[in-house]
Amino acid sequence: MKETVIVLDFGGQYNQLIARRVRENHVYCEILPYTVPIERIKALDPKGIIFTGGPNSVYDPASPHYTPEVFALGIPVLGICYGCQLMAHALGGRVISAADDSVSEYGKTDTAYQTSCTIFREIPANGVSWMSHRDYISEVPDGFSVTATTAHCPVAAMANEEKKLYGVQFHPEVNHTDHGSDMLRSFLFDVCGCKGEWQMDSFIDDTVAAIKAQVGDKGVVLGLSGGVDSSVAAALLSRAVSKQLTCVFVDQGLMRKDEGDYVENTFTKLFDMNFVRINCQEEFLSKLKGVSDPEEKRNIIGTEFYNVFWNRIRDSYGSGFFAQGTIYPDRIESGKGDAAKIKTHHNQVGVPKDIHFEGIIEPLKDLFKDEVRAVGEKLGLPHELVWRQPFPGPGLGVRVIGEITAERVHTLQEADAILRDEMEKCGYAEKMSQFFVVLPGVKTVGVMGDARTYDELVAIRAVTTDDFMTADWARIPYDILGRVSNRIINEVEHVNRVVYDITSKPPGTVEWE
Ligand code: XMP
């Protein structure tokens, strides 16, 4: 059984970041909602537990709590922010509610640490920590000592070393806390006694062995979209069961220029696997004929994809195992509010009731995106496939504004290919989070070779972002934009004008539809 640390989710903003920080130390960790029964925690036999922050006050009747039994299991616990207050409150310390007296620390805060405390052993006695709280701890529980203070906060950290219980009011997981990673590392290795054996090499070996044992001599069918997750899942399954795997790739004709061929070549030549490509652009376009409402287009593309995919599976592969590229963030249960449900992500394709597989295999279900990429690199997938930009499920369908026709998709593909080519040539591609071309469906008047033109407008969209929830429009140098514009107008038929989208998100979105 691999060494595991549990991140108990009380609804904080940084919960996935805490889990990432733990995994960066090569310690496997799982995020569980605060509603998880303690028996499940005991069964996982974790090396340590981290209580996350959360937006509540411990005095709020609706606030999330956890049974104090957890502190008596002998398992080290680190409480962060709300998690620290919860620990203090549960064990008899005193938490002052913001309603009575608020210290309201937000942002970077000078903090003094007791470096004799195990989790502060590797850091200087003074530094900046990142605070975000209104309630505060005024008295620590019996057996605890104060291990950090700030000008306003009498208990910026506390510890009961004997029982291996630690709490920090600030957020060590965010970069703004000086030496936050060192604190977490000390907790993992010096307090919990972790060894740090979670490595992608061993992940590949273990997963391949597990898939082989599970599948035996049966078949496996995988829905391959050409995105990072399903591509890495395909490569991993191919290593495990070789020709017992069949990848089904639905090419609805709304991919970028040459992308369908690229995906097919990669998986048939590089991996020599059974690969079924369903070319169905005409079917998709006939369903989309005359439709220009964005939501209707999305619905048609989604439904048609589902039908095409399952009809093919039903006819030819409706037995054996079904595999998909679900990754960890797709299935994390949220601890927020009462709705502790698993989020259904677009790639968690529901299997129709009339198809009975032996089982579902999700080889990447425990990995974060960057871990998936590391596995992809180790399995020998091409760098550009592993590091590709996100691409919307409905493909270019949401970038051809208005009615989608084969001709307009072609125009968009050609213009987009020029943008990609120029961005790659000047080394700008890697600096962008995402860039592409949109066909807004507007015709404008121009003049070319002394003659009047009346042709399509093309818009260039490029953004930088960490999380795609917010995004800034990218400041691409004018000379690059100029070259792209020039080439698009000269090389792509039916285009006579190019504009650059300078809208951030919010108020815009990344895609236009
Ligand atoms: P928006 O337009 O919402 O896009 O700001 C944020 C990110 O999500 C991608 N996107 C999608 N991805 N299915 C997907 O898998 C979709 O329907 C979809 N719509 C937008 C978009 O490309 C951007 O990276």
Side-chain angles (χ1 to χ4, degrees):
M1 201 161 154
K2 56 180 175 270
E3 62 178 19
T4 300
V5 164
I6 289 173
V7 173
L8 205 57
D9 179 355
F10 291 98
Q13 297 172 53
Y14 303 124
N15 301 346
Q16 289 205 28
L17 191 57
I18 298 172
R20 285 295 309 117
R21 293 278 175 265
V22 174
R23 297 243 188 135
E24 273 163 20
N25 283 294
H26 304 293
V27 173
Y28 178 74
C29 100
E30 285 206 23
I31 303 174
L32 297 177
Y34 71 91
T35 48
V36 70
I38 195 157
E39 284 67 36
R40 169 108 186 267
I41 291 189
K42 286 187 201 161
L44 282 168
D45 191 21
K47 301 288 280 184
I49 302 172
I50 299 178
F51 280 22
T52 75
N56 300 79
S57 161
V58 290
Y59 296 114
D60 178 350
S63 62
H65 284 253
Y66 203 70
T67 169
E69 208 190 314
V70 70
F71 301 115
L73 295 177
I75 300 170
V77 180
L78 170 65
I80 295 177
C81 196
Y82 176 78
C84 177
Q85 293 171 5
L86 202 61
M87 182 187 282
H89 181 65
L91 297 175
R94 186 145 181 252
V95 178
I96 304 289
S97 159
D100 302 327
D101 172 23
S102 171
V103 300
S104 286
E105 283 179 310
Y106 288 103
K108 292 184 175 180
T109 309
D110 288 326
T111 308
Y113 303 100
Q114 295 285 337
T115 54
S116 54
C117 173
T118 311
I119 64 169
F120 302 140
R121 211 147 68 182
E122 305 293 331
I123 67 164
N126 291 285
V128 164
S129 73
W130 179 261
M131 289 283 190
S132 178
H133 69 112
R134 292 174 68 218
D135 286 9
Y136 69 96
I137 300 166
S138 63
E139 283 169 34
V140 297
D142 280 350
F144 278 74
S145 54
V146 176
T147 54
T149 51
T150 71
H152 301 287
C153 191
V155 183
M158 62 179 196
N160 180 334
E161 297 265 6
E162 199 192 321
K163 297 205 164 137
K164 300 195 175 190
L165 302 177
Y166 299 81
V168 290
Q169 182 57 69
F170 53 88
H171 289 271
E173 70 277 19
V174 304
N175 281 334
H176 306 302
T177 296
D178 293 343
H179 300 284
S181 310
D182 296 325
M183 301 172 197
L184 289 172
R185 193 174 318 119
S186 295
F187 177 70
L188 295 172
F189 293 100
D190 302 335
V191 177
C192 302
C194 293
K195 295 200 185 73
E197 290 165 338
W198 172 247
Q199 306 277 354
M200 287 307 109
D201 284 323
S202 53
F203 169 83
I204 293 173
D205 293 344
D206 295 349
T207 308
V208 164
I211 294 171
K212 274 186 179 158
Q214 185 182 4
V215 170
D217 58 3
K218 302 249 168 43
V220 183
V221 61
L222 171 88
L224 183 70
S225 69
V228 181
D229 304 342
S230 63
S231 296
V232 174
L236 197 53
L237 283 153
S238 167
R239 178 168 293 191
V241 297
S242 178
K243 291 280 184 167
Q244 287 161 257
L245 171 70
T246 302
C247 293
V248 177
F249 170 55
V250 177
D251 186 349
Q252 54 353 12
L254 298 172
M255 315 281 284
R256 285 169 286 206
K257 187 182 179 188
D258 300 330
E259 192 159 12
D261 295 343
Y262 173 75
V263 172
E264 180 171 353
N265 280 335
T266 303
F267 288 98
T268 50
K269 305 229 165 73
L270 202 62
F271 287 93
D272 187 25
M273 60 174 68
N274 295 322
F275 184 93
V276 177
R277 176 172 174 179
I278 310 173
N279 285 319
C280 46
Q281 190 190 40
E282 279 174 22
E283 282 159 76
F284 271 69
L285 289 182
S286 74
K287 298 264 180 212
L288 288 163
K289 200 167 171 19
V291 180
S292 43
D293 177 73
E295 279 310 299
E296 210 181 322
K297 277 160 59 177
R298 271 179 181 266
N299 283 337
I300 292 172
I301 297 169
T303 310
E304 194 54 20
F305 187 93
Y306 188 83
N307 290 340
V308 168
F309 181 75
W310 287 114
N311 283 340
R312 185 55 177 256
I313 303 278
R314 187 181 284 110
D315 294 346
S316 320
Y317 308 100
S319 64
F321 289 85
F322 176 61
Q324 55 187 355
T326 315
I327 69 170
Y328 193 49
D330 299 341
R331 63 183 193 89
I332 292 177
E333 288 177 53
S334 165
K336 287 180 191 143
D338 292 325
K341 289 196 184 112
I342 297 175
K343 290 174 202 156
T344 309
H345 198 260
H346 65 276
N347 67 356
Q348 292 196 297
V349 190
V351 179
K353 289 202 175 57
D354 63 328
I355 303 186
H356 301 287
F357 288 107
E358 294 275 331
I360 298 200
I361 303 176
E362 295 176 315
L364 308 175
K365 69 178 177 7
D366 293 331
L367 302 193
F368 284 100
K369 193 78 162 192
D370 51 345
E371 293 172 320
V372 172
R373 290 198 160 114
V375 170
E377 297 262 19
K378 283 193 187 296
L379 290 169
L381 278 171
H383 182 81
E384 65 270 23
L385 183 61
V386 169
W387 289 96
R388 70 189 334 186
Q389 296 176 12
F391 190 61
L396 300 183
V398 291
R399 296 181 186 166
V400 174
I401 313 301
E403 187 181 359
I404 305 170
T405 63
E407 192 188 30
R408 296 189 71 215
V409 171
H410 179 72
T411 302
L412 180 66
Q413 284 174 329
E414 293 299 319
D416 189 71
I418 290 171
L419 174 67
R420 272 193 287 158
D421 183 46
E422 289 297 331
M423 293 288 274
E424 266 150 32
K425 277 203 295 223
C426 66
Y428 245 76
E430 305 233 329
K431 296 184 187 157
M432 302 292 107
S433 306
Q434 199 172 9
F435 61 88
F436 52 86
V437 154
V438 179
L439 213 55
V442 172
K443 282 189 150 191
T444 71
V445 173
V447 53
M448 279 173 98
D450 293 336
R452 177 186 191 268
T453 58
Y454 186 54
D455 272 327
E456 290 250 28
L457 168 76
V458 154
I460 298 172
R461 179 71 165 142
V463 295
T464 52
T465 171
D466 289 330
D467 55 11
F468 293 92
M469 306 293 284
T470 61
D472 199 7
W473 61 276
R475 272 55 169 179
I476 300 178
Y478 287 165
D479 55 340
I480 302 174
L481 288 171
R483 268 201 307 277
V484 174
S485 165
N486 226 10
R487 277 193 60 195
I488 290 178
I489 290 169
N490 280 302
E491 296 173 33
V492 184
E493 259 192 290
H494 310 304
V495 176
N496 68 350
R497 192 181 293 266
V498 176
V499 294
Y500 187 46
D501 180 352
I502 52 167
T503 321
S504 294
K505 173 184 179 178
T509 51
V510 175
E511 304 286 348
W512 279 33
E513 281 196 339

